[in-house]
């Protein structure tokens, strides 16, 4: 039966890779098929309808709420001009020094990456940042990659990501936070190294030799610069979650309120809150659909029949030696690209669930594995929305950005796997 479940997973990966079926729909079909193959009944305890669909769908509800709040805060950063002001100030400070401008945009991207992810984060930093970098001579591939590397550097402190791994792997937030602390220096070092090395290795391209994409007109242009104290908005949720150890949802809500109060007249609070909240729902809808499907998949692979069928197979191919653990999973890094089987926002979540449910690795070791791979997916996957947007806005292909950024994020994954093996195996 275990072989049958693995074949079902392989068919699911094929459907996602060929884009015959949208990822969220494919994961739901996978969850039902795995449950049926594992011998689950139609209803009752450990069943398809009650356990997989009914209980699995809201299993990641806390993550979904965090995603909505992060998207809401991202919309406020956009509409109030906070993100645009941060980028413009950095560009003004950098002047005609390409590397300084790129490092400044990288810093803003990192801040934005702690608030929200995916294409909205890339747009917040990139709409102004990418044309500014190209204008001072940064190569177009490097400009697009800088935005992505910055978002990835902020990803270890993205509060919705903490909530996701905490809920999906059934780990306390402090445990997730502790590993993210260890991963952050490697992500930041790789991002800085990317900017410095790629800017100098590729050389400066004069502004007249490239066509920088025109920045889209937006409402925030008419608002002017945001007040200096409003620029602290991305730091507020982090400070509360880290310094005061507040729960994630109240921390994000505090960020929303701070952005509102520091940029908006009291008479306009209600309208702006509603407008940006509705906009946040539009941004959050695709990941929420994905998390509903992931919850179902996790419920399916944790069914007793699925665990007992998969345990001997997975255990036979899972390295237990720390050195082999690092070596094998480092070589498998490309399998998290192109919506591959190790993508944590796809079938990788199910594999993580199996590893934990079968007792093959401790949950915290699976956390290290999943977060290390997530650093690669968030930057170099040509099918991820932030990579596609950044590359196309810079005027290059997502594959060009992947080739340029992959060595750096692969090194981050290696570092994360080394920390995991040394600390938890």
């Amino acid at each position: 039966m275990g072989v049958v479940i693995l074949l079902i997973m392989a068919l699911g990966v094929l459907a996602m890779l060929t884009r015959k079926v949208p990822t969220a729909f494919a994961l739901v079909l996978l969850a039902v098929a795995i449950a049926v193959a594992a011998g689950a009944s139609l209803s009752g305890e450990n069943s398809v309808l009650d356990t997989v669909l009914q209980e699995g769908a809201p299993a990641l509800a806390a993550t979904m709420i965090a995603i909505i709040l992060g998207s809401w805060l991202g919309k406020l950063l956009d509409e109030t001009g906070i993100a645009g002001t941060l980028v413009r100030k950095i560009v003004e400070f950098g002047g005609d020094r390409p590397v300084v401008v790129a490092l400044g945009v990288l810093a803003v991207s990192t801040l934005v990456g702690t608030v929200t992810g995916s294409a909205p984060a890339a747009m917040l930093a990139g709409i102004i940042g990418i044309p500014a970098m190209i204008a001072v001579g940064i190569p177009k591939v490097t400009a697009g990659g800088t935005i992505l590397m910055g978002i990835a550097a902020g990803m270890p402190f993205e509060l919705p990501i903490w909530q996701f791994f905490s809920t999906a792997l059934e780990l306390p937030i402090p445990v997730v936070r502790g590993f993210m602390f260890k991963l952050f220096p490697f992500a930041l070092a790789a991002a800085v190294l990317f900017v410095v090395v790629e800017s100098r290795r590729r050389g400066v391209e004069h502004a007249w030799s490239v066509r920088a994409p025109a920045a889209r007109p937006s409402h925030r242009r008419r608002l002017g610069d945001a007040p200096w104290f409003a620029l602290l908005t991305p730091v507020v949720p982090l400070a509360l979650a880290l310094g005061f150890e507040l729960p994630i949802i109240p921390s994000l809500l505090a960020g929303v309120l701070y952005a509102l109060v520091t940029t908006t007249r009291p008479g306009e609070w209600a309208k702006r809150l509603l407008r940006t909240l509705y906009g946040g729902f539009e941004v959050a809808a695709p990941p929420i659909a994905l998390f509903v499907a992931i919850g179902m998949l996790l419920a399916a692979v944790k069914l007793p029949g699925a665990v007992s069928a998969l345990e001997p197979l997975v255990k036979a191919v899972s390295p237990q030696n720390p050195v082999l653990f690092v070596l094998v999973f480092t070589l498998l890094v490309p399998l998290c690209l192109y919506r591959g089987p190790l993508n944590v926002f796809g079938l990788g979540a199910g594999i993580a669930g199996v590893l934990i449910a079968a007792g093959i690795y401790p949950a915290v070791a699976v956390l290290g594995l999943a977060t290390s791979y997530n650093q690669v997916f968030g930057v170099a996957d040509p099918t991820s929305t932030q990579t596609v947007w950044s590359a196309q806005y810079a005027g290059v292909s997502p594959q060009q950005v992947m080739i340029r950024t992959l060595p750096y994020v692969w090194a981050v994954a290696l570092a994360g796997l080394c920390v995991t093996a040394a600390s938890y195996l």
Side-chain angles (χ1 to χ4, degrees):
M1 193 57 66
V3 174
V4 174
I5 293 177
L6 289 179
L7 287 174
I8 291 172
M9 289 181 169
L11 289 174
V13 170
L14 184 62
M16 287 183 281
L17 284 175
T18 57
R19 300 194 177 186
K20 298 293 185 183
V21 184
T23 300
F25 295 166
L27 294 180
V28 174
L29 294 174
L30 264 178
V32 173
I34 289 170
V36 171
S41 59
L42 186 62
S43 61
E45 186 178 0
N46 294 322
S47 66
V48 176
L49 296 181
D50 293 318
T51 305
V52 175
L53 299 181
Q54 177 65 28
E55 297 176 12
L60 300 176
T63 302
M64 298 177 208
I65 294 172
I67 290 290
I68 291 171
L69 294 178
S71 301
W72 189 8
L73 183 52
K75 276 292 183 180
L76 277 169
L77 291 180
D78 179 42
E79 183 173 308
T80 58
I82 292 173
T85 301
L86 282 169
V87 176
R88 285 194 294 272
K89 295 297 182 184
I90 289 295
V91 170
E92 290 170 5
F93 173 78
D96 58 355
R97 296 168 291 181
V99 175
V100 175
V101 170
L103 287 174
V105 174
L106 179 77
V108 175
S109 302
T110 302
L111 271 178
V112 170
T114 66
V115 173
T116 185
S118 195
M123 293 171 69
L124 284 172
I127 283 177
I128 298 174
I130 288 176
M133 285 187 285
I134 295 175
V136 296
I138 295 294
K140 290 185 284 186
V141 175
T142 305
T146 297
I147 298 295
L148 296 168
M149 294 296 292
I151 293 171
M155 201 182 299
F157 290 137
E158 186 183 344
L159 301 188
I161 291 291
W162 291 8
Q163 188 66 66
F164 169 67
F165 284 115
S166 172
T167 307
L169 305 181
E170 299 180 0
L171 287 169
I173 290 292
V175 173
V176 177
R177 181 175 62 217
F179 185 81
M180 293 301 198
F181 277 168
K182 298 175 183 177
L183 190 60
F184 171 69
F186 300 110
L188 181 61
V192 173
L193 194 64
F194 172 83
V195 170
V196 173
V197 171
E198 293 299 319
S199 296
R200 293 179 176 176
R201 185 169 71 88
R202 299 281 295 173
V204 172
E205 294 181 354
H206 294 290
W208 49 262
S209 67
V210 297
R211 290 186 62 189
R216 300 184 312 177
S218 65
H219 181 60
R220 69 177 184 277
R221 292 297 187 88
R222 298 192 297 270
L223 297 175
D225 286 347
W228 68 266
F229 43 84
L231 304 184
L232 299 174
T233 297
V235 181
V236 170
L238 268 183
L240 294 176
L242 296 177
F244 297 93
E245 297 189 355
L246 258 63
I248 288 173
I249 290 174
S251 298
L252 288 169
L253 279 171
V256 168
L257 292 177
Y258 183 84
L260 181 74
V261 170
T262 56
T263 59
T264 310
R265 289 177 293 188
E268 299 177 0
W269 285 358
K271 289 182 179 179
R272 174 159 281 172
L273 278 176
L274 285 175
R275 185 169 58 247
T276 52
L277 175 60
Y278 295 155
F281 272 112
E282 292 180 6
V283 171
I288 286 176
L290 190 60
F291 286 129
V292 169
I294 289 174
M296 294 179 184
L297 180 62
L298 287 172
V301 298
K302 291 178 182 179
L303 290 171
V307 172
S308 60
L310 290 172
E311 181 178 1
L313 295 175
V314 176
K315 186 171 288 185
V317 298
S318 300
Q320 298 299 313
N321 180 279
V323 175
L324 283 178
F325 176 89
V326 173
L327 179 61
V328 169
F329 285 113
T330 299
L331 291 175
L332 293 179
V333 159
L335 292 182
C336 71
L337 301 175
Y338 288 99
R339 305 287 174 179
L342 294 182
N343 174 5
V344 71
F345 296 113
L347 185 57
I351 293 175
V354 172
L355 293 174
I356 295 172
I360 295 170
Y361 297 125
V364 69
V366 177
L367 169 71
L369 176 63
T371 53
S372 298
Y373 280 173
N374 192 41
Q375 291 295 129
V376 178
F377 165 76
V379 174
D381 189 341
T383 67
S384 66
T385 54
Q386 64 267 31
T387 305
V388 171
W389 185 89
S390 298
Q392 291 180 344
Y393 195 71
V396 296
S397 71
Q399 287 75 19
Q400 287 177 283
V401 173
M402 178 190 71
I403 291 170
R404 194 67 63 192
T405 58
L406 185 55
Y408 298 90
V409 289
W410 204 328
V412 176
L414 170 61
L417 292 170
C418 288
V419 171
T420 300
S423 303
Y424 311 120
L425 294 181

